[in-house]
């Protein structure tokens, strides 16, 4: 063995110290930054979230498990608080960060969607989490979930993926089978927006024919939650990224042909009465017999009704879960949604403690336990698997609602077979999404109301809808949509 001289030893020590410091700064480039923790003097970490009901119960249970095990061992105590819905949580966070009179002290961790996180990061309040994670750890998470969290420049990670969701198609199997047996309608047609629109038209005409003494009283077949997703994911499927974000700057790309396609396969069926929306959520509409199918979040599946409740009749129904319809011939993009967790910037010890809890919460088994109660998808690659799901359910003795189980399995297939997508955050992103969410849906509801008045006055369906589905009507709407979106992305 070669013996180093004293001088060479000192050089080697200095070199190693410099290398260690450099590795500490690089963080996400292969090493993990650690703050000093003391089990005898635990750090209390506060978490604010918007979970409620079964979701909150599951989250609180996992927080307790962490505190009683890993947290006790390392010196971390997590205190979780629900702050109402998403909007109420955002208001509470903003008030706390700005230290407004009467506000609580800002939390160490809070649930946040990308647009809100972007705004708060621009204010300088968020911690970059990349130094606390190794490349190997980051590689365990679904790539697109991690990418969504990179809202800073370079390799900075500001949103920790904790639970995600996508979209599915829910169908009232009981009423579908009555219709399908009478008409020969096929489930295969429901895989595309074009096939869905045609099937909805057939359903309207079939239900109309059941009451020959009453004209134009056909029933709607379909509805959807989250209209913004139709525009954003539909555009991606048809070859255009509506919000193209580079270096935190957005380029608006509203393709006329894509918008016409969406108009023809959603707005036109809606105005004709083939699609509908009545209550706050489409699951509510299925419950009252307004529609028999919808596209909604995977987390909404647990709210799909077990019975249809009409004014003079209530009857039980079964369900079918299918992938969300895509545009014919389009690329297989699917919705990626769901808030992550962000950490308020403080010091290395507290930020490290926060990250340790988030890493524990997103361990595959723990994340699946949360998903079984909440309907959210786990965020690690190996956890999006039916075999892993079955294993955790058996080992933990979990009781999982059949609809939640079936939805998770269907969503796992979506994650594996689709390109998961959500647009990157940008200034004005919240305002722009609201335009997509409400502009066409509000117009469709208002126009359908006029059509119904015309039908009651004796006009045919073709006569009643003619002015609304014309090329001129589309041109007017498209011009208005472009203007509203441009105004939104330029808003401060």
């Amino acid at each position: 063995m070669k013996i180093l001289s004293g001088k060479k030893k000192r050089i080697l020590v200095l070199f190693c110290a410099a290398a260690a410091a450099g590795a500490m700064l690089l963080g996400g480039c292969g090493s993990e930054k650690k703050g000093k923790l003391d089990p005898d003097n635990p750090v209390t970490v506060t978490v604010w979230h918007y979970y409620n009901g079964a979701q909150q119960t599951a989250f609180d249970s996992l927080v307790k498990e962490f505190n009683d095990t890993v947290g006790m061992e390392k010196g971390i105590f997590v205190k979780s608080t629900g702050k109402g819905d998403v909007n109420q949580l955002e208001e509470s966070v903003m008030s706390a960060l700005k230290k407004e009179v009467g506000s609580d002290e800002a939390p160490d961790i809070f649930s946040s969607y990308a647009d809100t996180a972007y705004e708060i990061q621009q204010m300088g309040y968020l911690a970059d989490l990349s130094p606390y994670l190794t490349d190997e750890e980051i590689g365990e998470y679904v790539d697109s979930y991690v990418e969504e969290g990179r809202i800073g420049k370079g390799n900075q990670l500001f949103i920790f993926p904790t639970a995600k969701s996508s979209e599915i198609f829910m169908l009232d199997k009981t009423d579908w089978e009555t219709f399908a047996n009478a008409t020969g309608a096929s489930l295969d047609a429901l895989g595309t927006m074009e096939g869905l629109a045609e099937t909805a038209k057939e359903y309207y005409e079939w239900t109309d024919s059941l009451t020959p003494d009453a004209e134009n009283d056909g029933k709607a077949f379909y509805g959807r939650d989250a209209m913004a997703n139709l525009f954003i994911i539909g555009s991606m499927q048809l070859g255009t990224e509506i919000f193209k974000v580079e270096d935190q700057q957005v380029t608006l790309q509203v393709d006329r042909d894509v918008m016409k396609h969406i108009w023809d396969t959603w707005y036109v069926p809606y105005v004709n009465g083939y699609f509908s929306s009545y209550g706050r959520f489409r699951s509510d509409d299925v419950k009252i017999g307004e529609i028999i199918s919808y596209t909604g979040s995977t987390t909404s599946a647990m709210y799909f009704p077990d019975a249809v409740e009409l004014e003079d009749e209530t009857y039980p129904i079964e369900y079918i879960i299918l992938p969300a319809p895509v545009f014919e011939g389009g690329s297989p993009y699917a919705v990626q949604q769901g808030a992550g967790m962000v950490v308020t910037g403080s010091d290395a010890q507290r930020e490290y403690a926060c990250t340790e809890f988030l890493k524990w919460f997103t361990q595959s088994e723990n994340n699946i336990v949360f998903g079984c109660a909440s309907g959210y998808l786990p965020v690690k690659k190996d956890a999006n698997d039916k075999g892993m799901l079955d294993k955790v359910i058996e080992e933990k003795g979990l009781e999982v609602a059949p609809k939640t189980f079936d939805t998770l399995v269907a969503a796992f297939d979506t994650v594996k077979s689709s390109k998961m997508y959500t647009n990157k955050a940008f200034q004005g992103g919240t305002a722009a999404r609201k335009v997509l969410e409400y502009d066409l849906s509000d117009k469709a509801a208002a126009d359908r109301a006029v059509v119904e008045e015309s039908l009651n006055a004796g006009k045919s369906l073709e006569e009643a809808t003619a002015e609304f589905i014309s090329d001129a009507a589309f041109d007017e709407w498209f011009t208005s949509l472009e203007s509203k979106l441009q105004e939104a992305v330029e808003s401060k």
Side-chain angles (χ1 to χ4, degrees):
M1 181 173 68
K2 188 174 181 180
I3 305 299
L4 297 176
S5 68
K7 182 178 180 180
K8 288 182 177 179
K9 284 182 180 179
R10 287 193 297 272
I11 292 173
L12 179 60
V13 170
L14 290 172
F15 174 79
C16 290
M24 189 75 78
L25 290 173
L26 286 173
C29 296
S31 70
E32 179 186 17
K33 183 177 179 181
K34 294 186 177 181
K36 293 182 179 180
L37 296 172
D38 180 3
D40 294 328
N41 296 286
V43 175
T44 297
V45 170
T46 56
V47 181
W48 288 1
H49 59 77
Y50 60 88
Y51 304 134
N52 58 71
Q55 296 174 351
Q56 181 167 359
T57 300
F59 186 75
D60 288 345
S61 177
L62 285 164
V63 167
K64 184 179 187 304
E65 182 180 343
F66 175 83
N67 288 337
D68 292 343
T69 55
V70 175
M72 182 179 295
E73 176 188 335
K74 293 190 173 184
I76 307 169
F77 181 81
V78 178
K79 181 180 180 182
S80 65
T81 303
K83 286 291 183 177
D85 61 24
V86 173
N87 293 328
Q88 291 169 326
L89 171 62
E90 181 180 334
E91 291 174 3
S92 296
V93 167
M94 286 297 190
S95 179
L97 291 174
K98 294 175 181 178
K99 300 184 184 300
E100 295 177 352
V101 176
S103 64
D104 295 324
E105 185 175 349
D108 298 299
I109 304 173
F110 58 92
S111 302
S112 180
Y113 285 92
D115 288 334
T116 301
Y118 173 86
E119 182 180 350
I120 296 174
Q121 186 265 338
Q122 292 291 294
M123 296 163 64
Y125 288 121
L126 296 190
D128 174 15
L129 303 179
S130 54
Y132 302 98
L133 293 154
T134 65
D135 283 345
E136 183 178 357
E137 287 174 328
I138 290 176
E140 295 174 355
Y141 294 84
V142 175
D143 295 338
S144 59
Y145 298 170
V146 174
E147 185 59 30
E148 181 182 351
R150 297 193 186 281
I151 60 175
K153 294 183 178 179
N155 211 39
Q156 294 174 304
L157 179 69
F158 286 98
I159 308 175
F160 199 111
T162 49
K164 290 295 176 183
S165 63
S166 188
E167 287 187 331
I168 52 168
F169 182 85
M170 296 287 294
L171 176 65
D172 166 359
K173 178 183 178 182
T174 304
D175 284 308
W176 163 263
E177 289 183 341
T178 302
F179 163 60
N181 290 336
T183 64
S186 170
L187 288 174
D188 293 339
L190 305 180
T192 66
M193 285 300 299
E194 294 82 359
L196 174 61
E198 183 59 36
T199 300
K201 179 175 184 291
E202 293 173 3
Y203 182 76
Y204 178 93
E205 292 173 346
W206 175 73
T207 51
D208 184 32
S209 70
L210 298 179
T211 53
D213 294 336
E215 295 183 356
N216 298 312
D217 66 339
K219 300 185 67 173
F221 177 80
Y222 169 82
R224 73 161 294 130
D225 292 323
M227 276 294 295
N229 287 344
L230 176 63
F231 285 97
I232 294 170
I233 299 302
S235 291
M236 291 297 295
Q237 290 173 356
L238 295 172
T240 301
E241 187 173 28
I242 194 168
F243 302 126
K244 185 175 180 61
V245 182
E246 295 179 337
D247 296 327
Q248 299 178 315
Q249 299 299 313
V250 62
T251 299
L252 190 60
Q253 302 182 132
V254 189
D255 185 270
R256 182 185 184 85
D257 290 340
V258 170
M259 294 301 107
K260 185 62 164 62
H261 210 124
I262 292 174
W263 170 276
D264 288 339
T265 54
W266 189 85
Y267 170 81
V268 172
Y270 192 108
V271 170
N272 274 281
Y274 313 150
F275 294 176
S276 183
S277 56
Y278 188 82
R280 183 180 180 187
F281 300 108
R282 302 295 75 77
S283 55
D284 298 331
D285 295 347
V286 173
K287 186 174 184 177
I288 62 173
E290 181 77 10
I291 55 177
I292 69 168
S293 68
Y294 72 87
T295 297
S297 168
T298 52
T299 58
S300 76
M302 63 182 68
Y303 301 107
F304 191 87
D306 295 319
V308 171
E309 300 175 5
L310 305 178
E311 289 185 2
D312 56 353
E313 178 188 9
T314 296
Y315 59 93
I317 60 173
E318 297 181 76
Y319 64 88
I320 297 175
I321 299 174
L322 297 173
V326 299
F327 284 100
E328 197 171 277
S331 300
Y333 282 93
V335 174
Q336 173 180 308
Q337 57 191 16
M341 294 279 189
V342 297
V343 174
T344 307
S346 53
D347 55 63
Q349 181 193 50
R350 187 166 292 277
E351 292 174 6
Y352 172 67
C354 291
T355 311
E356 284 299 287
F357 166 69
L358 295 175
K359 287 194 291 187
W360 180 89
F361 177 70
T362 54
Q363 287 177 8
S364 295
E365 288 191 359
N366 298 331
N367 223 198
I368 287 175
V369 169
F370 181 66
C372 285
S374 65
Y376 280 105
L377 299 175
V379 292
K380 288 194 172 182
K381 295 170 183 175
D382 70 345
N384 283 269
D385 178 78
K386 182 179 181 297
M388 175 69 85
L389 177 65
D390 289 335
K391 177 175 177 289
V392 172
I393 290 173
E394 181 178 357
E395 290 181 351
K396 300 286 187 179
L398 303 177
E399 294 185 5
V400 184
K403 276 180 281 196
T404 300
F405 179 86
D406 293 341
T407 299
L408 288 173
V409 172
F412 291 166
D413 290 339
T414 295
V415 172
K416 292 176 180 177
S417 64
S418 305
K419 300 175 183 178
M420 304 302 290
Y421 177 82
T422 185
N423 63 272
K424 298 287 284 185
F426 60 91
Q427 187 72 40
T430 300
R433 187 177 180 90
K434 284 182 178 179
V435 172
L436 297 181
E437 187 67 38
Y438 299 110
D439 183 66
L440 187 58
S441 59
D442 286 351
K443 172 179 170 55
D447 292 349
R448 175 60 189 173
V450 175
V451 167
E452 289 176 344
E453 291 178 0
S454 297
L455 294 175
N456 291 334
K459 287 186 178 181
S460 68
L461 184 60
E462 291 75 15
E463 293 171 332
T465 60
E467 67 175 292
F468 298 108
I469 63 176
S470 67
D471 289 342
F474 168 75
D475 290 339
E476 182 179 352
W477 169 75
F478 177 75
T479 300
S480 173
L481 177 70
E482 278 192 308
S483 176
K484 290 176 181 177
L485 285 174
Q486 190 63 49
E487 182 179 348
V489 300
E490 292 175 354
S491 64
K492 301 296 183 182

